[in-house]
């Protein structure tokens, strides 16, 4: 296929090519606003800025709310607000979304907070929020005529792409750092597809993926050449939180950052809900969370700079280990506009936080969730986050994927012989 013209899998009756991506009407440059037709494009031809999806929504207010509430019990209830064809819910896909919003009173008490919620996206089919972005990217990739689903990944995206492609019956090719957590490598391999372990960090692999994408015109790299569509999947996290709170926005949110796309899109989701009259406008603060070993956005925020300087990652939070985050500057815009902050936490704090969330709420987070909870604690300590305002934190992945991170700091209370005497002698009663 070619990237110089829009393509279609559904020709119009007059022979003209069509792309049906629902309410999406164009791609627009996030830097200069230049608009181009919908297609497999991700960089502005005028200024090389990143492109994002522009919409013309068909309805708003009560009518839209009723349509959403009558929709499927997964992210396709939000199809009227996503770049996906109207019939998307009936195509073979793994149907992520509608994960639990859990009221975390025990953790709130421990941290001295009033109202705290955990949006637990580990409940998705491959146990991270990446199933959302991949579902939207897959829908767009099919509509644009691609035949292979591919990605460079820090792990969770690899799981999501391999699983979604398997269900859709198409080939997948995923590139991951060879030093990734074994759980993520093995689970990805189980879905079949081509899994390539690369001796390099994510930023090396991302570069390689860009080169392959330029050569292989049938391959949709979900976070490279169909990135504008892919990123929109994260809006559904914001939508769901608002619906689950009874169609209103929380006052504070804490979100982990790798590329930063998720944070930026949750904010876009909130903004759209207000514009569409689905929630009342009310001020909210967006906070970003990074591991100190890969914290270029936190560093820029603290230095008061607009430029995010790339770093070489060194942290146990491998899913967040992107040293050159594509959306870094946009994260800074959102955080500063809303009065939030970006904070970073040590690997030891991440491990403590994983255990704290598990012990208080029975939620076992992967390292990214540990980064988020540890950051929440630090933001409370610095006074940046108000303990009396309703707060939602995002657990974006499952702890079973990063067991090594806590392997040396948890274990059995006791190991005994199978006798009552041994049980009693061990002081367990
Ligand atoms: C579990 C988890 N949480 C959060 C993120 C951050 O996502 P983003 O790259 O959109 O900032 C990632 C990225 O891979 C992830 O795997």
């Amino acid at each position: 296929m070619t990237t110089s013209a829009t393509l279609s899998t559904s020709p119009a009756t007059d022979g003209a090519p069509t792309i049906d991506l629902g309410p999406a009407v164009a791609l627009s440059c996030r830097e200069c606003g230049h608009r181009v037709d919908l297609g497999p494009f991700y960089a502005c031809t005028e200024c090389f800025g990143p492109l994002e999806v522009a919409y013309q929504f068909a309805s708003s207010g009560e009518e839209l709310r009723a349509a959403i509430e009558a929709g499927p019990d997964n992210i396709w209830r939000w199809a009227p607000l996503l770049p996906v064809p109207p019939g998307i819910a009936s195509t073979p896909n793994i149907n992520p979304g509608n994960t639990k919003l859990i009221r975390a009173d025990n953790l709130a008490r421990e941290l001295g907070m009033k109202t705290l919620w955990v949006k637990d996206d580990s409940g998705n089919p491959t146990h991270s929020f990446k199933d959302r972005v991949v579902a939207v990217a897959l829908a767009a990739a099919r509509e644009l005529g691609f035949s292979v689903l591919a990605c460079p990944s820090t792990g969770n995206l690899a799981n999501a792409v391999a699983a979604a492609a398997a269900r859709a019956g198409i080939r997948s090719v995923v590139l991951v750092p060879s030093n990734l957590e074994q759980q993520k490598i093995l689970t990805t391999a189980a879905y079949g597809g081509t899994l390539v372990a690369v001796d390099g960090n994510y930023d090396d692999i991302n570069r390689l993926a860009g080169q392959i994408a330029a050569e292989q015109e049938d391959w949709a790299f979900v976070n490279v050449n169909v990135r504008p569509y892919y990123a929109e999947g994260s809006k559904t996290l914001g939508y769901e939180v608002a619906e689950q709170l009874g169609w209103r926005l929380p006052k504070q949110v804490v979100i982990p950052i790798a590329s930063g796309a998720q944070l930026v899109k949750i904010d876009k989701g909130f903004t759209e809900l207000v514009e569409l009259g689905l929630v009342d406008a009310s001020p909210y603060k967006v906070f970003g969370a990074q591991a100190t070993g890969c914290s270029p956005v936190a560093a820029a925020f603290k230095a008061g700079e607009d430029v995010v300087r790339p770093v070489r990652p060194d942290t146990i939070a491998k899913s967040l280990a992107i040293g050159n985050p594509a959306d870094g500057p946009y994260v800074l815009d959102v955080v500063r506009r809303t009065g939030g902050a970006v904070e970073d936490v040590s690997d030891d704090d991440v491990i403590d936080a994983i255990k704290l969330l598990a012990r208080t709420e029975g939620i076992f987070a992967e390292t990214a969730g540990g980064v988020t909870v540890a950051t929440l604690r630090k933001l409370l300590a610095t006074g940046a986050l108000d303990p009396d305002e309703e707060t939602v934190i995002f657990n974006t992945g499952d702890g079973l994927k990063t067991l090594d991170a806590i392997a040396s700091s948890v274990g059995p209370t006791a190991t005994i012989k199978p006798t009552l005497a041994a049980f009693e002698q061990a002081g367990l009663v």
Side-chain angles (χ1 to χ4, degrees):
M1 72 181 292
T2 148
T3 51
S4 61
T6 53
L7 293 176
S8 173
T9 51
S10 51
T13 44
D14 63 359
T18 61
I19 296 174
D20 188 353
L21 289 174
V25 290
L27 296 173
S28 101
C29 177
R30 292 160 82 181
E31 289 299 318
C32 72
H34 178 68
R35 279 164 90 105
V36 295
D37 286 347
L38 291 169
F41 315 121
Y42 59 104
C44 176
T45 47
E46 299 294 307
C47 73
F48 301 109
L51 297 174
E52 73 174 340
V53 179
Y55 298 93
Q56 196 164 356
F57 297 122
S59 58
S60 62
E62 288 306 315
E63 189 192 345
L64 177 57
R65 188 192 320 233
I68 291 165
E69 288 177 344
D73 194 19
N74 55 50
I75 65 165
W76 304 131
R77 72 201 280 103
W78 305 106
L81 306 180
L82 293 172
V84 297
I88 182 67
S90 56
T91 60
N93 65 74
I94 62 174
N95 293 326
N98 248 0
T99 54
K100 291 178 183 159
L101 181 69
I102 298 167
R103 190 164 167 131
D105 285 340
N106 298 332
L107 179 58
R109 205 172 308 115
E110 193 131 340
L111 296 177
M113 299 181 72
K114 235 182 202 159
T115 312
L116 177 63
W117 302 88
V118 179
K119 177 62 173 168
D120 188 11
D121 238 27
S122 67
N124 275 314
T126 73
H127 311 284
S128 88
F129 89 99
K130 292 290 186 184
D131 290 326
R132 296 174 185 273
V133 280
V134 170
V136 176
L138 172 59
R142 287 174 127 167
E143 200 59 29
L144 296 169
F146 290 99
S147 60
V148 174
L149 206 61
C151 69
S153 171
T154 59
N156 286 312
L157 186 58
N159 281 162
V161 163
R167 175 95 177 109
I170 62 174
R171 184 180 174 208
S172 67
V173 180
V174 305
L175 311 175
V176 296
S178 54
N179 72 350
L180 209 59
E181 296 95 343
Q182 273 300 297
Q183 289 86 356
K184 285 178 184 159
I185 294 203
L186 296 179
T187 47
T188 301
Y191 295 115
T194 304
L195 166 60
V196 185
V198 182
D199 293 329
N201 62 29
Y202 176 83
D203 299 290
D204 299 325
I205 294 172
N206 197 25
R207 232 177 349 261
L208 173 60
Q211 290 165 349
I212 300 172
E215 298 287 319
Q216 303 297 329
E217 295 187 334
D218 275 352
W219 294 17
F221 277 83
V222 295
N223 49 347
V224 182
N225 53 356
V226 290
R227 187 175 178 85
Y229 309 97
Y230 156 94
E232 294 294 290
S234 286
K235 291 193 308 182
T236 61
L237 273 162
Y239 297 155
E240 280 182 23
V241 164
E243 185 184 7
Q244 288 169 317
L245 288 175
W247 293 108
R248 61 184 180 79
L249 303 181
K251 285 279 184 266
Q252 305 176 126
V253 291
V254 186
I255 304 167
I257 300 169
S259 74
Q262 179 186 211
L263 183 149
V264 170
K265 295 298 177 178
I266 289 173
D267 171 66
K268 186 176 181 189
F270 285 167
T271 306
E272 284 175 354
L273 292 184
V274 173
E275 284 169 2
L276 289 163
L278 292 172
V279 299
D280 289 338
S282 64
Y284 58 86
K285 294 184 177 181
V286 178
F287 296 87
Q290 294 204 295
T292 304
C294 184
S295 50
V297 188
F301 176 78
K302 290 177 192 180
E305 291 175 359
D306 294 332
V307 177
V308 176
R309 289 174 215 291
V311 299
R312 189 167 283 276
D314 180 16
T315 167
I316 60 167
K318 294 183 183 187
S319 61
L320 302 184
I322 295 182
N324 189 12
D327 274 41
Y330 302 106
V331 167
L332 293 173
D333 289 347
V334 168
V335 164
R336 288 181 177 139
R337 190 194 81 230
T338 62
V342 187
E343 194 46 272
D344 61 279
V345 289
S346 72
D347 283 358
D348 285 346
D349 287 345
V350 172
I351 294 167
D352 281 351
I354 290 172
K355 293 196 289 186
L356 173 66
L357 181 63
R359 175 170 63 73
T360 53
E361 297 296 343
I363 300 170
F364 184 30
E366 75 143 88
T367 44
V371 168
T372 306
V373 173
T375 298
L376 168 68
R377 190 143 73 166
K378 194 161 175 186
L379 290 166
L380 286 164
T382 62
L385 191 137
D386 186 341
D388 294 330
E389 294 284 17
E390 182 173 52
T391 303
V392 176
I393 61 173
F394 291 78
N395 175 41
T396 45
D398 192 322
L400 291 174
K401 294 192 188 202
T402 58
L403 285 172
D404 287 353
I406 58 154
S408 61
S409 64
V410 293
T413 307
T415 303
I416 61 165
K417 296 269 186 280
T419 66
L420 183 58
F423 186 79
E424 287 169 353
Q425 271 163 22
L428 299 170
V429 283

